[in-house]
Amino acid sequence: MTESEDHNLSPSEYVRENKNQLERLIKHSNNDFVRALAIAAFIEYGEDASVEAITKDLERIKELEEVQ
């Protein structure tokens, strides 16, 4: 997707079309602020993202990090 196309998307469309990138940010970013923004985008604009679903995802990520 080009940058100009991103400007024409609603926030919910942007989250839907960039789900994989947002997930990578949450899982791998060293910047807590960036991670928080990605999580907030999922909670506010994601189709099926509930606080409970995001919490479960974060718990799984934490468990994976502990194993490594």
Side-chain angles (χ1 to χ4, degrees):
M1 173 165 301
T2 66
E3 185 178 331
S4 63
E5 290 173 342
D6 284 349
H7 292 295
N8 296 327
L9 296 176
S10 71
S12 57
E13 290 171 322
Y14 181 88
V15 168
R16 185 174 49 251
E17 291 189 14
N18 293 283
K19 182 178 183 232
N20 291 336
Q21 289 84 354
L22 292 169
E23 287 175 346
R24 264 186 293 188
L25 284 172
I26 293 168
K27 293 177 184 177
H28 302 293
S29 177
N30 293 328
N31 186 316
D32 290 340
F33 181 71
V34 171
R35 292 171 79 179
L37 289 175
I39 292 167
F42 271 124
I43 290 171
E44 186 69 26
Y45 300 108
E47 293 176 345
D48 60 349
S50 65
V51 173
E52 294 82 18
I54 297 293
T55 302
K56 286 179 185 178
D57 287 342
L58 293 173
E59 288 171 358
R60 282 191 295 250
I61 292 167
K62 186 176 180 179
E63 288 172 5
L64 288 173
E65 289 176 346
E66 290 173 357
V67 170
Q68 297 175 355

